[in-house]
Amino acid sequence: MSTNPSIPTSKKIDKSLPIVEKYKRYVSQSQAFKYFPIVIAKAKNSRIWDLDGNEYIDFLASAASYNIGHSNDAVVKAVKEHLDKFIHYCLYLYHEPVAELSELLVKITPGDYEKKVIIGLSGGDANDTALKAALAYTRRPRIASFTYSYHGTTALGIAVGGSFDPDLRSTIPFHNVYFLEYPDTYRCVNNIDDPVQCGEEYLSMIDTFFKKKYAGESFAAMIIEPVQGDGGVLVPPENFMRGVRRITQEYGMVLIDDEVQTGMGRTGKLFAIEHFNITPDVIVLGKALGGGMPVSAVVGRREIVESTPPQSFFATSAAHASSVAGAIAAVKYVLENKLHEVAAEKGRYLARRLGELKEKYEVVGDVRGLGLMLGVDVVRDKKSKQPDRTLALKIIWRAWEKGLIMMTYGKYGNVLRIAPPLTIPYEDMDRAVEIIDESIKDAVEGRVPDTVVNYMTAWK
Ligand SMILES: Cc1ncc(COP(=O)(O)O)c(C=O)c1O
């Protein structure tokens, strides 16, 4: 039994709680985004153990970072070997891993044009770099982004982040960002059911925006996630994405494809943009690129990523040699094991298994996604599609108690986020579906206390 009465669980977490308390005392709440009192002690492939010895299946994979599994042997070996040579030296000297990773990324990313690479530390800093490069390249003042988007937490990242509280956004003195509607085929505007028609509807709103409201020629860039993760796993129709490419070309805007969450095989293709048969001007990578090490990359048209002077996007620890050595091992692991194809196959299986829950429960409104980037939309009932965030939180709480790590996100905070390592065994997926099934039942039948909702800091 938990010794802390404020945590409504009978799970044994006594060793973890003092660490949780220290966080409360010393770590800024601006970094506190905790769903459960799990203090991680060990992780391997799709499993995690906490300080109390509890074992979990990981459906979160550190926010879709561990595509190749936790503590992947190839990455651990590459980093250890590099650490034995030297840890890192800032960008005043050359090192082999950066040259190798840049060459690799130029070769494997879509775009049959001359490309160059800027390596950073996080997805957010890479998006920031891509946006600054686009502003400098075009010398135009405006940026187009999308409602409920997430691109990181640098100043520009907050400015373009459609999922942030507008009050927080207003504190950033860059007000030239305009938010376009990201297509939602489950709750499409004007209740349109047909995805193609739905895509056309959103596209025509964008067309009108640039023709009638703000001249398309005044925009430096449009930044878009090819599947909107934090918006709630929204997969745009292909015609929408093709239209976005046409519009950005028409007005000479840089199309920035934020693949921080979708990249490195997660959606069943190496890069999610490949589902739509379009080529962006810049691709941004992070998370899974490093295989767990802090590495990000902006891969783009040479003239865009070289539009600023040397040292414009320079950080002492950026392109960190040992981390980049890990990233090379991670990218090779994805390629050699064709993990994108594995993700497509496992994703089909898992979507089918989750679809069984949709048949079984009135509160499962939609199961959607691509590859192993899936979302389960929890609703009051199928007909109204009214989002039920409270129920979703109760489901993940009970799932945690039963040994599954899964969080909620989405524009209404009601979508179960499913993003396990692409290397997850089928048995783990089956057990996880069983846990979700039992947890939905418990939550629907009132066996999860309302107070759990107050405990979690969760997406709204
Ligand atoms: C689509 C997308 N872009 C950017 C980021 C920011 O990446 P990071 O947290 O590594 O800065 C995230 C992180 O969740 C993301 O999902």
Side-chain angles (χ1 to χ4, degrees), residues 66-82:
Y66 285 98
N67 289 10
I68 59 172
H70 286 284
S71 299
N72 179 289
D73 291 344
V75 173
V76 172
K77 181 167 177 283
V79 174
K80 278 188 178 162
E81 279 176 11
H82 199 276

Side-chain angles (χ1 to χ4, degrees), residues 150-184:
Y150 185 85
H151 302 289
T153 60
T154 63
L156 257 186
I158 288 175
V160 301
S163 55
F164 288 112
D165 181 345
D167 187 49
L168 171 66
R169 244 185 359 239
S170 72
T171 62
I172 306 297
F174 184 87
H175 302 294
N176 279 347
V177 181
Y178 297 80
F179 292 94
L180 310 167
E181 289 278 336
Y182 197 91
D184 180 340

Side-chain angles (χ1 to χ4, degrees), residues 63 122-125 127 150-153 225 230 258 260-261 287:
S122 79
D125 77 43
N127 276 323
Y150 185 85
H151 302 289
T153 60
E225 295 158 82
D230 299 12
D258 178 352
V260 171
Q261 192 169 154
K287 292 191 190 272

